[in-house]
Amino acid sequence: MIKGVLFMMVRSVLVLCTAMVTSLAACVGVPEGEDYDVDAAEQAVVVDNALTSNALTSNALTSNALTSNALTSNALTSNALTSNALTRSALRDPLARQLLKYVVSCALPRGAHFDIDVDGVVYGFDGGIGLHKNWGDTGGSCDNACKAWVSACVLSRVNYLGIPTPISMRGNKCELSSDSAERTAYATREGAYYGNIFANPPLYFACVSPEQTSIQRVCGPSLDDCVVKVVGNCGDTCDKPRSDGSFENCRDHARSASGQFPSGTIAYDGSVTIFLQ
């Protein structure tokens, strides 16, 4: 009997250790800037970006506060989206379906997929980056951290002309890690994106990389008419860059000449920095 108890204790310790190793390997705790190979995040985080300005600003899914709340308060699944009257109705809007494509791609991991039947037409939605995998679980939802990261990811994929362009997404999250080959191929830092597309009213922010004076991919020829509010130079709005060149804790106001942020300035943990070829 004593041997049996000892065996069960040893077995429990082995199971616990295996779980811990698996958790560490999944990506949490990977040293900043270190190259590693995690299949689920091995996207070389190079993704297309053809989200139009209209789909971001005029879609029926997030332009209404009640519908936006219904989206984030429920699981990102076919059943949850279609069983809720608000989200089911919103998805009749082509712009809402375009936005949802990018929300799903940002939130759910590669390999995740679900279909939605809209008035007899079936539309498929695929995961990609996996910034908030749990939103796709039964009973899942999108909390504040989820809203910040998914919003930053979606905003970074807006394209002024709606033409797909390869981009490298980086940030202080293991799913946005990059290897040396990607950093070499995508060496031109464009800027950082952050905000809350699910807020009422929605918050769209960006800052320009210190080496740049424009964000033509997202804003077109002028920053003044940009779909996102460009609040300044990333060096004046964010913490210092990480080893991969990405900015974090970017804010909705720039520092003053004295180096201080105005009272009430908000910092966004979910900040995504984009690099181009």
Side-chain angles (χ1 to χ4, degrees), residues 23-258:
S23 175
L24 287 172
C27 67
V28 176
V30 175
E32 180 186 332
E34 181 174 313
D35 296 347
Y36 68 103
D37 184 13
V38 178
D39 185 59
E42 128 195 303
Q43 38 232 312
V45 191
V46 178
V47 296
D48 74 272
N49 56 102
L51 178 63
T52 63
S53 299
N54 281 345
L56 176 66
T57 61
S58 305
N59 74 88
L61 200 59
T62 58
S63 58
N64 180 286
L66 291 176
T67 308
S68 181
N69 184 64
L71 171 64
T72 56
S73 297
N74 294 287
L76 194 59
T77 63
S78 176
N79 183 60
L81 289 167
T82 56
S83 62
N84 185 286
L86 290 172
T87 53
R88 182 175 66 247
S89 176
L91 289 172
R92 292 191 172 97
D93 172 18
L95 296 180
R97 295 194 297 272
Q98 184 186 149
L99 177 70
L100 182 63
K101 167 190 170 183
Y102 286 92
V103 168
V104 173
S105 176
C106 288
L108 304 187
R110 186 169 54 183
H113 174 90
F114 62 80
D115 296 317
I116 292 181
D117 186 314
V118 179
D119 298 329
V121 179
V122 177
Y123 299 92
F125 298 87
D126 295 304
I129 300 175
L131 293 178
H132 197 76
K133 305 174 183 67
N134 294 342
W135 193 6
D137 295 340
T138 301
S141 62
C142 187
D143 59 15
N144 288 336
C146 165
K147 292 174 184 176
W149 281 108
V150 172
S151 293
C153 175
V154 169
L155 290 170
S156 75
R157 297 170 75 176
V158 173
N159 191 290
Y160 179 75
L161 297 176
I163 301 174
T165 304
I167 59 176
S168 169
M169 305 176 66
R170 301 176 205 169
N172 190 15
K173 204 164 173 62
C174 62
E175 293 85 359
L176 298 177
S177 294
S178 57
D179 60 22
S180 58
E182 180 183 348
R183 293 194 291 272
T184 298
Y186 292 79
T188 302
R189 186 169 54 192
E190 176 186 72
Y193 301 85
Y194 46 101
N196 186 350
I197 66 173
F198 308 104
N200 182 32
L203 302 170
Y204 312 140
F205 297 115
C207 61
V208 180
S209 177
E211 305 84 18
Q212 307 296 327
T213 57
S214 65
I215 312 178
Q216 292 189 4
R217 178 183 63 89
V218 173
C219 299
S222 173
L223 294 178
D224 296 333
D225 300 322
C226 191
V227 64
V228 297
K229 180 180 180 181
V230 180
V231 296
N233 182 303
C234 294
D236 296 328
T237 61
C238 313
D239 289 354
K240 66 179 182 179
R242 302 172 66 246
S243 63
D244 65 354
S246 66
F247 291 97
E248 58 183 333
N249 295 322
C250 295
R251 298 162 176 84
D252 56 1
H253 289 86
R255 291 182 179 87
S256 65
S258 63

